[in-house]
Amino acid sequence: MNFDRKSLTDEKLLHLYNRLLKPRLIEEKMLILIRQGKVSKWFSGIGQEAIAVGVTAVLDQDEYVLPMHRNLGVFTGRDIPLYRLFSQWQGKANGFTKGRDRSFHFGTQEYKIIGMISHLGPQLGVADGIALANKLKNNGKVTAVFTGEGATSEGDFHEALNIAAVWELPVLFIIENNGYGLSTPTNEQYRCENLADKGVGYGIESHVVDGNNILEVYHLLSELKVSMKENPRPVLLEFKTFRMRGHEEASGTKYVPQELMNVWAAKDPVENYKNYLSQIGVLTPDLDTAFKAELKKEIDEHWAQVQLEPEIEASYEAELNDVYKPFNYIGITPLAEKENIRFIDAISNSLRESMQRHPNSVIMGQDIAEYGGAFKITDGFVAQFGKERVRNTPICESAVVSAGMGLSINGYKAIVEMQFADFVSTGFNPIVNLLAKSHYRWLENADVVVRMPCGGGTQAGPFHSQTNEAWFTKTPGLKVVYPAFPFDAKGLLNESINDPNPVLFFEHKQLYRSVYQEVPKDYYTLPLGKASLLKEGSAVTIISFGAAVHWALATLAAHPEISADVLDLRTLQPLDTEAIFASVKNTGKAIVFQEDSLFGGLASDISALIMENCFEYLDAPVQRVASLDSPIPFTKALEDQYLPKARFETALLALLAY
């Protein structure tokens, strides 16, 4: 291994050695503790330390790093107190996740480290979002994100590289190619000679680097950091390295040929660098001993400190209170002047006024810039707000949602438009596993609104007509809004954008241009989690949301003799159970009307809640009316049969006659 110090001082050379030693000695301690049963799980980075140490040695303290679970050198390189790391690994309160997640599945704004999720790929998109925020701030900062050679096969890897290339984002994409994805060797993972070659297809500068040579890592990264500040762009770096332990300690390394282990053992980044420093007279045996003694003392003292910390006590209140970031509604009342506008105009007006109110907001989506989006909701926005804040995206929903999370982390509000709600399936993972869980895991909120044009009635077929709210109402950490009227749509979307938590905002396409209402011209908000009582009656409670609200009202218009409470939920998560129970206790009968297919839909949960909480008030079983349990078809006759509009009247009359 050839080392070239270039202009580095002796002091800097020794500093890098000390930085390399620290994670190695911590790991050696952990391997002893895991054999003693004092640590439950460990993902070793022995043999790969030079990469993490080199990255953190080059980046500024306020530049974000997104590491993996073998990058202990990132955390020690940012000088996180060891007792906090040990507390995290032991599930103690002084850790970063309050015992809710293990090892390196956490982040910390204090140290500008954003931890991984086990799905790997989304963190690359998060890095895009962080870098986009830096670019919008024009602060010259670089973002570094780690991944392994295995994760380069994930779609998120390709989506994130493509977005970074198109938007010229200053991201260092760092691939630690350590030879195996758990036990799968590289020849079973990809066919290109070097993973760095994949950068060529995206128009990205790329490099292959000896990941075990700390000076090669440090010099290249130092040059790139200066260059990227002057010329912001993404760079793909493939670091050739090896992990000398198993994927995690329980898996072992029996699948690795011993000859290969011997080759890489000879390339140990710590020992080789130590020998180099000794050869050039910078490191003496006494100094090396002193370094190790000081580090071991620090490790032992901090480990002992953590053993005195109490175990976390489980608390229902504490757990549930951290699912969402606390946010108090402060209502903004509109002025008297109103205009008669369509549902689609209300959405557009809300977005425009919110963009004015929040200069740190960014809208992202396919064709939303000059074209104005598939439904022309953002038509004219580029002229008013510029392409930096109204951003066309490639067709890559997953990385765009993840980028929204990155924007939020770095101080922005993200509004993501799904061209159709159906397409959210390709962005499902970051919504339910990243946005929804981040505040609970490490108290980092996701200030992201995902707009969802949805619903049937337009003969658009199975890929453009779903109303898929139930995919998200069951996921703790998400808020789900589904208005039926222009007034509600504007006020609720304004509040959704204000809310620092992730919100899925459903907009029924059939309502866009068919429903008009008097709506205030100026900015106002409506609270999330509050249903609207549209009609009052005594015979039955009709509970609905979205287009089904209008179908229910049309049925009642044809039957003026029916005295009914009509409750428009407006928000599905959080659900206004107080309003539901109060109405049912008043009428004694309830029918829940949804457009989604029946099984597993929201109507089932509402029915169960009513049965559990209002049983003694009921004069009949709760009824559910919903679409057929099939995909939504295209032809009008089939779609009309699928949708529950025609079946509602029969069910309602039968319930009243019970």
Side-chain angles (χ1 to χ4, degrees), residues 19 29 38 82 161 278 371 396 441 474 551 556 569:
R19 290 298 196 184
K29 172 83 171 182
K38 296 178 181 178
L82 295 188
L161 261 64
S278 299
Y371 187 71
C396 49
R441 288 173 53 239
K474 77 166 300 297
W551 303 339
L556 290 178
L569 293 175

Side-chain angles (χ1 to χ4, degrees), residues 401-418:
V401 171
S402 299
M405 180 70 197
L407 281 167
S408 174
I409 285 169
N410 206 359
Y412 280 75
K413 286 181 173 291
I415 305 162
V416 177
E417 177 184 299
M418 292 292 151

Side-chain angles (χ1 to χ4, degrees), residues 531 541 543 565 567 569 575-590 605-615 617-618 622:
T541 296
I543 303 164
D565 270 7
L567 200 61
L569 293 175
L575 185 65
D576 191 352
T577 54
E578 182 180 347
I580 294 171
F581 299 157
S583 177
V584 172
K585 289 175 181 178
N586 176 56
T587 66
K589 293 182 178 180
D605 271 292
I606 294 173
S607 176
L609 285 167
I610 293 171
M611 296 294 284
E612 291 170 357
N613 293 276
C614 306
F615 182 77
Y617 295 90
L618 291 174
V622 178

Side-chain angles (χ1 to χ4, degrees), residues 241-558:
T241 185
F242 199 78
R243 57 172 163 81
M244 300 302 295
R245 311 290 300 183
H247 171 73
E248 42 88 23
E249 284 307 300
S251 66
T253 58
K254 289 184 179 179
Y255 48 85
V256 183
Q258 186 57 49
E259 315 85 76
L260 189 58
M261 294 289 289
N262 295 339
V263 167
W264 282 99
K267 297 180 180 181
D268 183 285
V270 179
E271 286 300 312
N272 277 279
Y273 187 53
K274 169 189 169 182
N275 293 337
Y276 166 72
L277 295 182
S278 299
Q279 290 167 8
I280 63 174
V282 172
L283 179 69
T284 65
D286 287 345
L287 186 56
D288 186 35
T289 299
F291 278 158
K292 290 177 179 176
E294 183 179 1
L295 289 171
K296 287 180 179 179
K297 180 174 182 290
E298 179 187 1
I299 293 166
D300 290 341
E301 288 178 351
H302 282 246
W303 179 257
Q305 178 180 338
V306 170
Q307 304 322 297
L308 300 177
E309 294 176 9
E311 298 295 328
I312 286 180
E313 295 184 8
S315 160
Y316 286 120
E317 183 179 6
E319 289 298 280
L320 295 176
N321 283 349
D322 282 346
V323 173
Y324 298 98
K325 179 174 181 176
F327 179 65
N328 295 322
Y329 171 70
I330 301 175
I332 299 176
T333 304
L335 300 176
E337 189 176 3
K338 297 182 179 181
E339 57 183 339
N340 191 37
I341 61 173
R342 303 167 299 175
F343 191 104
I344 196 168
D345 302 321
I347 296 292
S348 183
N349 290 349
S350 169
L351 290 172
R352 193 182 302 274
E353 292 169 13
S354 293
M355 291 282 282
Q356 293 169 338
R357 190 175 187 86
H358 300 289
N360 65 332
S361 58
V362 176
I363 300 179
M364 301 183 289
Q366 295 161 27
D367 304 300
I368 68 164
E370 289 86 355
Y371 187 71
F375 300 99
K376 302 300 181 183
I377 287 175
T378 52
D379 192 20
F381 277 40
V382 168
Q384 184 171 356
F385 301 109
K387 291 202 69 171
E388 291 295 297
R389 295 181 62 199
V390 184
R391 306 187 74 89
N392 281 335
T393 69
I395 302 176
C396 49
E397 286 83 1
S398 185
V400 172
V401 171
S402 299
M405 180 70 197
L407 281 167
S408 174
I409 285 169
N410 206 359
Y412 280 75
K413 286 181 173 291
I415 305 162
V416 177
E417 177 184 299
M418 292 292 151
Q419 199 167 72
F420 293 88
D422 315 67
F423 299 167
V424 77
S425 56
T426 56
F428 190 74
N429 176 32
I431 291 176
V432 301
N433 284 312
L434 183 60
L435 304 189
K437 295 179 172 66
S438 289
H439 191 266
Y440 172 77
R441 288 173 53 239
W442 57 284
L443 299 184
E444 179 66 25
N445 64 294
D447 200 342
V448 182
V449 173
V450 182
R451 292 183 42 243
M452 303 276 282
C454 66
T458 59
Q459 291 81 60
F463 296 134
H464 298 79
S465 304
Q466 296 176 87
T467 174
N468 45 9
E469 67 279 352
W471 295 1
F472 306 103
T473 51
K474 77 166 300 297
T475 303
L478 300 176
K479 295 187 178 183
V480 182
V481 182
Y482 202 145
F485 295 94
F487 174 80
D488 294 337
K490 181 176 177 179
L492 290 169
L493 183 53
N494 284 338
E495 184 63 10
S496 296
I497 295 169
N498 289 338
D499 196 309
N501 294 286
V503 179
L504 278 294
F505 195 91
F506 284 81
E507 305 163 12
H508 201 290
K509 304 189 303 293
Q510 195 177 45
L511 303 182
Y512 271 159
R513 291 176 171 83
S514 65
V515 177
Y516 287 73
Q517 195 177 27
E518 291 290 317
V519 177
K521 285 187 173 183
D522 58 318
Y523 183 91
Y524 65 94
T525 60
L526 294 172
L528 305 189
K530 294 295 182 182
S532 175
L533 186 61
L534 302 178
K535 290 177 68 71
E536 293 188 59
S538 58
V540 65
T541 296
I542 300 171
I543 303 164
S544 191
F545 54 94
V549 171
H550 297 276
W551 303 339
L553 291 174
T555 301
L556 290 178

